[in-house]
């Protein structure tokens, strides 16, 4: 899970992030996130914890020393650098779901998305487009497709959804397509995508 360490300006994002965490736990899906104790990071982790879910945090030591983390998680992995944090999160996750967030959130999701398409990672990526927060970014990326810098298949592969169930359906379709467990519609299969 990638999301903001601040709540943003829309109070619905706080409520929706909590419900995403709760929804994941109720479906038996563990949460791996940056370990933060504020903003949307706090809400999504609290929702999962309140529903009895597994919540694994990964945070650099310097952030722990600044008291930015949570001590009440199922597990907290303390690493030395942001690079180690992202690598461990990628190793622990099966798919990536992105809630509203800022530069850090954006940098993390773009990195794993690009890794997927150059063969360093095969985990699918989704944007939960709460309140249309990611619409402008996705339009800008369409411009890069038009300019010839991003292949259309790369943009088609990302799941864009308005709700958790649609996001999970899209991610699951991509996981099944790649594993061969179920027939699917190729990279464009599944619900909740663009």
């Amino acid at each position: 899970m990638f999301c903001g360490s601040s709540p943003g300006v829309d109070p619905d994002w706080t409520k929706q992030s909590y419900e995403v965490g709760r929804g994941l736990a109720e479906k038996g899906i563990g949460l791996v996130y940056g370990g933060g104790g504020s903003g949307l990071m706090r809400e999504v982790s609290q929702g999962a914890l309140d529903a009895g879910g597994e919540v694994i945090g990964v945070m650099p030591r310097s952030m722990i020393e600044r008291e930015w983390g949570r001590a009440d998680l199922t597990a907290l992995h303390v690493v030395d650098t942001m690079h180690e944090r992202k690598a461990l999160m990628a190793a622990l996750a099966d798919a990536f779901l992105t809630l509203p967030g800022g530069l850090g959130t954006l940098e993390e999701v773009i990195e794993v998305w690009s890794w997927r398409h150059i063969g360093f990672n095969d985990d699918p990526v989704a944007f939960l487009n709460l309140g249309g927060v990611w619409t402008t970014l996705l339009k800008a990326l369409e411009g890069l497709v038009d300019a010839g810098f991003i292949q259309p298949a790369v943009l088609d592969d990302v799941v864009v959804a308005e709700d958790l169930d649609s996001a999970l359906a899209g991610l699951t379709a991509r996981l099944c397509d790649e594993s061969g467990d179920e027939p699917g519609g190729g990279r464009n299969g599944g619900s909740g995508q663009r």
Side-chain angles (χ1 to χ4, degrees), residues 6 21 23 25 30 34 45 52 57 62 65 72 85-86 93 101-102 124 128 145 170 172 180:
S6 68
S45 60
S62 64
E65 290 166 357
D72 59 346
R85 178 194 210 185
K86 292 186 293 182
L128 196 51
V145 170
T172 300

Side-chain angles (χ1 to χ4, degrees), residues 126-180:
F127 287 90
L128 196 51
N129 198 23
L130 303 179
V133 70
W134 296 116
T135 301
T136 303
L137 170 70
L138 295 166
K139 286 288 186 192
L141 294 174
E142 288 174 8
L144 293 177
V145 170
D146 294 342
F149 291 109
I150 297 176
Q151 295 296 316
V154 172
L155 204 55
D156 290 343
D157 184 47
V158 73
V159 176
V160 180
E162 306 300 319
D163 59 75
L164 178 61
D165 287 340
S166 297
L168 293 177
L171 291 168
T172 300
R174 281 152 180 79
L175 286 167
C176 292
D177 286 350
E178 289 157 13
S179 69

Side-chain angles (χ1 to χ4, degrees), residues 8-191:
V9 297
D10 187 339
D12 283 343
W13 294 333
T14 297
K15 292 182 274 191
Q16 291 168 327
S17 295
Y18 179 90
E19 290 304 320
V20 165
R22 177 177 284 284
L24 290 171
E26 289 172 350
K27 295 175 187 320
I29 299 171
L31 173 67
V32 176
Y33 86 118
S38 62
L40 300 187
M41 293 177 82
R42 181 195 184 287
E43 296 304 319
V44 72
S45 60
Q46 192 64 51
L49 289 169
D50 287 350
E54 178 185 45
V55 180
I56 299 171
V58 183
M59 183 169 271
R61 187 174 323 282
S62 64
M63 292 181 170
I64 296 290
E65 290 166 357
R66 292 181 221 170
E67 299 182 353
W68 289 356
R70 294 188 68 150
D72 59 346
L73 304 176
T74 308
L76 178 63
H77 298 275
V78 180
V79 297
D80 290 322
T81 68
M82 289 295 283
H83 294 294
E84 290 173 329
R85 178 194 210 185
K86 292 186 293 182
L88 183 54
M89 287 178 70
L92 293 171
D94 295 320
F96 299 97
L97 181 60
T98 310
L99 295 176
L103 286 177
T105 301
L106 184 57
E107 184 267 337
E108 289 168 330
V109 69
I110 293 293
E111 183 172 70
V112 296
W113 188 9
S114 67
W115 285 354
R116 177 171 166 82
H117 291 284
I118 58 175
F120 287 103
N121 174 8
D122 60 1
D123 299 333
V125 175
F127 287 90
L128 196 51
N129 198 23
L130 303 179
V133 70
W134 296 116
T135 301
T136 303
L137 170 70
L138 295 166
K139 286 288 186 192
L141 294 174
E142 288 174 8
L144 293 177
V145 170
D146 294 342
F149 291 109
I150 297 176
Q151 295 296 316
V154 172
L155 204 55
D156 290 343
D157 184 47
V158 73
V159 176
V160 180
E162 306 300 319
D163 59 75
L164 178 61
D165 287 340
S166 297
L168 293 177
L171 291 168
T172 300
R174 281 152 180 79
L175 286 167
C176 292
D177 286 350
E178 289 157 13
S179 69
D181 291 342
E182 295 177 11
R187 290 209 179 268
N188 294 317
S191 62

